[in-house]
Amino acid sequence: MKKSSAVIGCFVVGFLLAASPFGGQDATNAINSYPNLPAPIGEESVLLTSAGQAPENLLLAKIAEDLHLEGDYRPRALASDLYDYRTLVIIVGSSPYGLQYRNRTFTEEMERTKQLLNEAELRGLPVIILHVAETKRQDKQTVELIKATAPHADYFLGLKSISSSSEIIELMDAANVPVTLVKDLEDLHTPLNSAFR
Amino acid sequence: MAEYKNNTIPGLIGIFLLTYGLFFPSLSAEWVSFIIDRLQESMNIMDSGQLLIASFAYISRNGFLYFLIYFSTLLIVSALAKNTNSTAFSLCYIAATITAVFFINQFHGESSSYAPHFLSLGLLLALNTYITGQRYYYLTFAVILFFLITAMQCLNLIPVLSKWSFGADDLAVSLKTADSFITEDQLFTALYFVLFAIFFLIAVIFALLVHLFNMQITTLKRFQVQEKELKETRFALTESKVYEEIHSLVHDLKTPLVSVRGLISLIEMKYEKSEDKKLKDYLTRVDHSIEKMNEMISEILYENTKKEIHIDEFLRYVISHLALDDQKIRLEMEVQENLPCIHVNKIRFARAIANLLENAIISFEGKAGFIQIDVKQVNDTIRFQIRDNGPGIKEELMQEIWKEGFSTKDSSGIGLSFVKRVVENHHGSIFVSSTPGSHTQMDIYLPVSSGQGGAHDDIDYR
């Protein structure tokens, strides 16, 4: 065996693993779920919260601020906090370090999210779900959170890149949730604004 | 034992570093909090500066973590496999590192992607082939590893490479999403491509410099060896020429000797009937002297010319050649009674013993001391033991003293090698023992003469 064979082997395995995401079926053509902008779904004031405590979820608050939406970003909001709001917006994305940063476990986070959704249903509040970390954050826990929220959602907003993962789209499709996928994070402003005005 | 120690220490350090590395994600909670704080701050005030600080902290943390893993596995594997440039070493190193990364992912969910690790290992092992076989191997490897790991962590923050499984860990995803939101991927893409290129090039250039330096050192060493060999060859050539000259000179002595012997015979014949007894006695003595001289010349010319000789007579012959008059040295001699004769080339063997005695005398450098010569029969050998209380021989020189050309006294350095050659030519053996500052002892074991129980035959070339 040549001395360089280990190095070549490493490169081959590395490139195969790196290229493996390109081998999957492209769901973009299989699923046609890009509706036009919806008629207003929600009303102000809005409770913006995070499911999974991913640090980047804070950008939802920034978008809401840019849109001058009346409401609050409360990443750890409880079901009992919903009394003061007329729409629930949840940005989904589970982060182990984010949960550790907020001193909570995934089970607690899942429980809090379910309670929020149940309370919203009881109160008849519309629920909008966002997922903004493209394909980068589609781990098992995030998918679990999406599965938990999908049946309660009235609208799903995400990035086009997630269409390569058919699982999320299929979940929304099965729950008859209208889906809007945008190209960039900046483009989220328009559909989110449309959902309220 | 030294080898054992050399392998054990890096191995133990490796195990310690690996254990620390495996627990490092849990031990670095403060570091992670700092990153998340800066990240959220950057999104709050839409400040790319805060995002940069967060990303630098991320690269430092991950760089440190994977430096620990990659370096500790190197120490452990190199402690087990001595040759760090073999295929077996490379495969073991890849397996050990990937296993450690797997455990980190299982325990802490650090990174779900193995592709960057395989590529890092490939690059690292490729560079490793240029840095083997030198004194500061671990230090050199650590420097290259540092730059390479930092370069690979830069790739983790380039958004376009996310599709290629780079930067799939929790913090990298958050940082890249924030960058996408604040700068539309412009900041990280430009900055980290440049930083990757810089760190990667430094790693490559450093490895090449080390390689060139090693080549220079190797060439220098080779030159030194060649120079030494050349010196030895020149010396051997000179020595050979000197011997050749002496040989032919001694050989030429035989011609006038034969003439003298012939003339003596003529004189004997001429005065055969003479009554001059004194003249006859002189002629007989001259003839005996010529005969003796002839024998001596033969012994000098032919190594294998040997004859029986009494040990007492032999030692008297040796001592008569020593210059002890101006020395403060006491020479003690003890010879066992009724020893058998020895079968030797008298001239050469006497020169060998005289060499040992002269070495002992020189070592005193004019100071007082004693030299003991003890001769006795040990089993079927005669042992010549020469012991002095001189300065002794340093332990590191014990193997060197037999080499031709070795000397600590600016002499030719052929004395002891000559002694050894002569002893071996007599089917004997020589041993030396010495304690610096105490004594030196030379033991020569010579088989007893074949006529008296010895077991060797010599060819006489006369």
Side-chain angles (χ1 to χ4, degrees):
Chain A
M1 190 183 282
K2 277 187 179 179
K3 200 169 65 182
S4 56
S5 54
V7 175
I8 295 167
C10 254
F11 283 130
V12 170
V13 173
F15 279 117
L16 285 175
L17 286 172
S20 59
F22 300 98
Q25 188 194 353
D26 189 355
T28 313
N29 298 327
I31 297 167
N32 187 13
S33 54
Y34 305 101
N36 291 325
L37 296 178
I41 297 165
E43 289 178 53
E44 299 170 79
S45 66
V46 187
L47 173 63
L48 307 155
T49 191
S50 164
Q53 304 300 327
E56 74 273 13
N57 288 359
L58 187 66
L59 67 86
L60 174 61
K62 198 64 202 165
I63 294 171
E65 191 186 316
D66 290 347
L67 295 173
H68 303 291
L69 282 179
E70 188 193 332
D72 302 302
Y73 176 65
R74 298 168 70 176
R76 286 165 290 176
L78 300 173
S80 54
D81 296 328
L82 265 178
Y83 71 95
D84 210 15
Y85 301 98
R86 300 174 76 178
T87 307
L88 174 63
V89 178
I90 301 177
I91 183 162
V92 180
S94 175
S95 155
Y97 282 118
L99 288 166
Q100 189 185 318
Y101 180 72
R102 305 277 189 200
N103 279 326
R104 57 181 54 221
T105 63
F106 177 73
T107 316
E108 287 170 346
E109 185 68 2
M110 177 63 96
E111 190 56 33
R112 184 185 69 85
T113 308
K114 281 178 180 171
Q115 283 174 1
L116 263 173
L117 290 165
N118 289 336
E119 185 66 22
E121 198 168 331
L122 279 173
R123 289 178 178 274
L125 302 183
V127 177
I128 299 172
I129 308 293
L130 278 91
H131 179 61
V132 296
E134 306 178 42
T135 49
K136 298 169 222 160
R137 203 183 283 290
Q138 282 178 15
D139 52 285
K140 195 180 158 192
Q141 291 186 339
T142 301
V143 172
E144 266 186 62
L145 280 169
I146 291 174
K147 276 182 187 170
T149 52
H152 303 272
D154 294 292
Y155 186 40
F156 179 83
L157 251 173
L159 295 175
K160 271 190 177 173
S161 56
I162 65 161
S163 60
S164 61
S165 166
S166 59
E167 193 178 5
I168 293 174
I169 302 297
E170 278 169 9
L171 271 171
M172 295 302 164
D173 206 30
N176 284 321
V177 179
V179 173
T180 297
L181 302 178
V182 294
K183 194 180 172 205
D184 297 315
L185 287 171
E186 194 60 29
D187 300 337
L188 283 171
H189 286 76
T190 309
L192 191 63
N193 196 31
S194 304
F196 292 95
R197 292 153 188 165
Chain B
M1 191 66 189
E3 191 101 346
Y4 176 74
K5 271 184 190 170
N6 287 343
N7 287 334
T8 308
I9 293 169
L12 290 174
I13 294 172
I15 290 169
F16 171 75
L17 290 180
L18 182 63
T19 311
Y20 184 66
L22 289 173
F23 286 100
F24 181 74
S26 302
L27 300 170
S28 60
E30 293 276 321
W31 211 331
V32 173
S33 297
F34 176 83
I35 295 168
I36 293 176
D37 280 342
R38 296 281 79 74
L39 177 65
Q40 296 201 327
E41 182 73 11
S42 72
M43 284 189 285
N44 243 339
I45 58 173
M46 295 294 278
D47 179 18
S48 57
Q50 293 291 324
L51 186 62
L52 267 186
I53 294 171
S55 65
F56 287 151
Y58 163 82
I59 286 179
S60 312
R61 176 187 174 274
N62 272 29
F64 186 67
L65 167 65
Y66 289 115
F67 179 87
L68 280 176
I69 298 298
Y70 281 56
F71 192 60
S72 61
T73 48
L74 169 90
L75 290 172
I76 294 168
V77 175
S78 62
L80 299 172
K82 285 173 193 171
N83 181 8
T84 53
N85 207 14
S86 65
T87 311
F89 168 82
S90 301
L91 293 174
C92 287
Y93 182 56
I94 293 165
T97 311
I98 293 295
T99 307
V101 171
F102 171 78
F103 281 118
I104 289 239
N105 292 341
Q106 290 298 308
F107 295 155
H108 310 286
E110 194 63 33
S111 165
S112 58
S113 173
Y114 290 91
H117 292 291
F118 274 107
L119 295 174
S120 302
L121 284 167
L123 289 169
L124 196 61
L125 290 170
L127 293 178
N128 184 50
T129 56
Y130 293 98
I131 61 166
T132 49
Q134 44 102 16
R135 193 177 171 188
Y136 300 107
Y137 171 71
Y138 291 122
L139 182 65
T140 314
F141 186 92
V143 173
I144 291 173
L145 178 64
F146 168 77
F147 286 113
L148 195 68
I149 288 282
T150 311
M152 296 310 280
Q153 292 309 313
C154 289
L155 287 185
N156 278 346
L157 289 182
I158 297 173
V160 74
L161 294 180
S162 299
K163 290 175 187 170
W164 293 88
S165 305
F166 283 88
D169 59 299
D170 186 7
L171 291 173
V173 168
S174 298
L175 285 164
K176 282 190 276 192
T177 309
D179 176 55
S180 179
F181 184 60
I182 298 170
T183 73
E184 294 181 350
D185 293 340
Q186 298 296 311
L187 179 68
F188 279 6
T189 304
L191 179 73
Y192 286 115
F193 258 126
V194 171
L195 284 180
F196 164 76
I198 291 171
F199 282 111
F200 182 67
L201 278 176
I202 291 174
V204 172
I205 289 168
F206 184 78
L208 287 176
L209 284 177
V210 168
H211 180 61
L212 290 175
F213 182 71
N214 279 343
M215 276 175 70
Q216 269 190 327
I217 296 286
T218 312
T219 312
L220 202 66
K221 278 182 181 168
R222 204 164 53 230
F223 279 149
Q224 280 176 344
V225 171
Q226 281 175 349
E227 204 174 322
K228 198 180 169 191
E229 282 172 359
L230 195 66
K231 200 176 163 186
E232 282 172 4
T233 311
R234 275 185 192 150
F235 179 81
L237 193 67
T238 311
E239 192 191 22
S240 159
K241 277 186 177 170
V242 169
Y243 280 142
E244 206 177 309
E245 288 294 323
I246 292 171
H247 197 270
S248 62
L249 195 68
V250 172
H251 192 268
D252 290 348
L253 283 174
K254 276 195 152 187
T255 314
L257 213 59
V258 170
S259 303
V260 172
R261 209 171 184 187
L263 288 171
I264 291 290
S265 302
L266 280 175
I267 294 169
E268 272 181 342
M269 280 169 69
K270 193 171 180 182
Y271 294 99
E272 200 175 0
K273 292 173 182 173
S274 168
E275 294 297 317
D276 190 347
K277 283 185 180 175
K278 235 176 187 179
L279 181 65
K280 279 188 174 175
D281 183 43
Y282 287 153
L283 286 172
T284 311
R285 284 167 70 180
V286 169
D287 195 43
H288 279 168
S289 294
I290 290 169
E291 176 65 32
K292 233 177 187 180
M293 197 183 288
N294 195 31
E295 279 177 12
M296 282 172 74
I297 287 171
S298 293
E299 285 187 20
I300 292 169
L301 287 177
Y302 309 109
E303 274 186 35
N304 291 328
T305 303
K306 294 170 189 168
K307 64 177 184 182
E308 300 286 324
I309 186 169
H310 286 292
I311 288 171
D312 287 331
E313 185 195 338
F314 173 75
L315 287 176
R316 273 199 303 278
Y317 179 78
V318 172
I319 303 298
S320 68
H321 286 77
L322 292 179
L324 281 165
D325 297 342
D326 300 329
Q327 303 291 335
K328 299 171 189 169
I329 297 164
R330 193 172 74 250
L331 186 68
E332 297 167 5
M333 199 155 62
E334 194 173 325
V335 182
Q336 192 182 356
E337 285 181 9
N338 302 321
L339 281 176
C341 289
I342 50 173
H343 185 77
V344 294
N345 180 313
K346 184 180 154 191
I347 303 292
R348 284 175 176 266
F349 196 64
R351 189 64 249 158
I353 300 292
N355 265 1
L356 295 180
L357 292 169
E358 279 169 4
N359 278 355
I361 292 165
I362 292 167
S363 75
F364 285 108
E365 293 177 335
K367 294 173 191 164
F370 66 81
I371 300 172
Q372 291 171 330
I373 302 173
D374 181 39
V375 186
K376 66 177 177 182
Q377 183 158 6
V378 177
N379 300 327
D380 56 349
T381 62
I382 304 292
R383 189 195 67 186
F384 289 79
Q385 187 177 76
I386 297 164
R387 186 186 170 93
D388 67 67
N389 66 339
I393 304 165
K394 289 177 187 168
E395 199 181 335
E396 62 266 26
L397 300 179
M398 290 295 269
Q399 296 302 316
E400 302 290 315
I401 57 173
W402 304 110
K403 289 181 184 168
E404 208 160 90
F406 175 81
S407 172
T408 57
K409 304 284 181 195
D410 291 331
S411 62
S412 67
I414 56 173
L416 282 176
S417 61
F418 171 77
V419 173
K420 197 171 187 204
R421 203 165 63 225
V422 170
V423 171
E424 283 169 359
N425 186 253
H426 285 80
H427 309 286
S429 49
I430 181 166
F431 302 96
V432 60
S433 64
S434 180
T435 306
S438 170
H439 73 278
T440 302
Q441 182 175 308
M442 294 278 183
D443 290 319
I444 294 174
Y445 293 89
L446 211 61
V448 291
S449 154
S450 57
Q452 299 169 57
H456 67 277
D457 297 313
D458 293 318
I459 303 159
D460 194 338
Y461 289 101
R462 276 178 300 178

